[in-house]
Amino acid sequence: MIISVEGLVKRYDGHTALDGLDFSVEEGDIFGFLGPNGAGKTTTIRILNAIIKADSGNILIDGHNVFKEPLAVKEIINALPESNGYYEWMTAHEYLEFFSNLYEEKKSKKDIYPLLENVGLSGKEGHLIRSYSRGMKQRLGIARALVNKPKLLFLDEPTNGLDPKGRRDIHDLLIDLNRKHGTTIFLSTHLLDDVERLCNRIAIINYGKIVREGELGGLKGKGTIEDIFFMSTKEGTL
Amino acid sequence: MKTAYIMQKEIKESILTPKGFLWYILTSIILSILSYLFLTNSELSLLDQGQMLYMIMNFITALGILIGLVFGADAFAGEIERGTLEALFLSPASKMEIAMGKLGAAISNWGIIFAISLPYLFVVGKGGQNVLTGIVYLLILGTLLAITFSAFSMGLSARIKSMKNSLIISFFMFLLAGAPIFLSAALRRTWFGRILDLINPFADAINTFDSVVIDSQGFSYQAGRVAIICGYTLLSLWFLKRSVSGLEM
């Protein structure tokens, strides 16, 4: 088990964003984390990424306690946040080199090129990021999230705002990462197509609680993914 | 080491850019105009070398602080507004390593302003007394004040998460720190004026420059004020640490 979450609670100014969240993710999964807007997806990811603190609960990532060993966790995970900004004055190569330098195992200048090639940006490494299209920036964000060869990759709405070709490319990249490199992927999205194409397991969150969790194949026996989603999130109950 | 990489990034982003160079060119132009006026204007040239040096040192210190405040306000709030901070927080650099890298860049900025000002200080102070001692005091106190105000502004930036608001509050605090300068000479000699002078780090610095360059007084006269400035530096670093450790996206 690469992620184990127990009784996670997070409150903001009296509002309970996460209300005793429990779930787990197995190594090698592409785990879909679904929920309507405001259900607590981004908050969950930020807590799992050791960026914000929880009020209570317990999280183990690859055996490390996220609250006690945040820097050890950050060495083995990485993420592409929902609204990822870029240092637009840098070139793609400089951007990846900068982030690579912040890890124990740094990449040499020439190790950066395969990363860019993997995300379809080879030949563009010397261009300033400000000249990139949205899709190219998204790919660069994924390349940044791969600089430390993470065992576990968190993606928050990675295909949002991309055209069909851009979405297909990202899908292919993620499948490739998972199958060839064994990277576990935690995918937060409300695009059900993405889930259907990529995920083997899902959890649905609503009002800060997991309302359904399991193998996608098993759950789909009860209807389409859309049916499952709407049944699970209606009024916050099953 | 991570701090060094972050500092390098900050320097490239804020200093080694056309905008950064523009700051320094403007600094040179203003210092050139001031020096020219001091040396040629019929009224200003009546001032002795020590007083000219003292006035230009005050200006350089204020400029270093002001640019430090801008650096500090942008440090966290600016990155949050541009959406770049989350990626930085995802890296295994601790929040304090990130803050120290940013503070290092702000201090480097002060270092550049100090270096630019050196020829002007030597020209304006030429033939006067205590020029070297004054420059050493400017380097030490200017650095302490650059750390103090940049760290304070950075801490605010982490707490308020709005660059505009942290900049406004920082400028206001700087004006408060400079308030004794606006008091009349008579008021500054009262107990109220003296206390106000003593507890203000910027006023402490310029009073020290006055004492060193114009009155030629030794370190024993300056020790109290220098200690107060050091106290403020430690206090602002503590404030930065507290603010950054509580910073959440």
Side-chain angles (χ1 to χ4, degrees), chain A residues 113-122 146 169 173 176-177 181:
Chain A
Y113 292 104
L115 268 178
L116 287 160
E117 202 177 320
N118 278 347
V119 295
L121 288 176
S122 59
L146 298 175
D169 290 347
L173 176 66
D176 199 47
L177 264 176
H181 305 283

Side-chain angles (χ1 to χ4, degrees), chain A residues 34-45:
Chain A
L34 285 77
N37 289 334
K41 301 191 294 292
T42 300
T43 302
T44 306
I45 290 184

Side-chain angles (χ1 to χ4, degrees), chain B residues 15-28:
Chain B
I15 298 178
L16 304 177
T17 60
K19 204 167 71 182
F21 282 117
L22 193 66
W23 280 101
Y24 302 128
I25 289 168
L26 277 174
T27 304
S28 305

Side-chain angles (χ1 to χ4, degrees), chain A residues 169-227:
Chain A
D169 290 347
I170 300 275
H171 287 173
D172 292 344
L173 176 66
L174 297 181
I175 291 169
D176 199 47
L177 264 176
N178 178 256
R179 292 197 185 143
K180 283 194 188 156
H181 305 283
T183 309
T184 306
I185 296 173
F186 186 101
L187 176 71
S188 163
T189 183
H190 48 229
L191 296 174
L192 302 177
D193 282 1
D194 286 4
V195 176
E196 203 135 31
R197 176 122 202 273
L198 297 170
C199 302
N200 61 314
R201 288 187 72 238
I202 64 165
I204 299 174
I205 180 173
N206 199 22
Y207 294 112
K209 282 184 175 167
I210 297 290
V211 289
R212 188 160 290 199
E213 185 185 1
E215 296 286 333
L216 184 63
L219 292 173
K220 272 171 73 179
K222 296 168 185 170
T224 65
I225 181 83
E226 205 171 64
D227 293 336

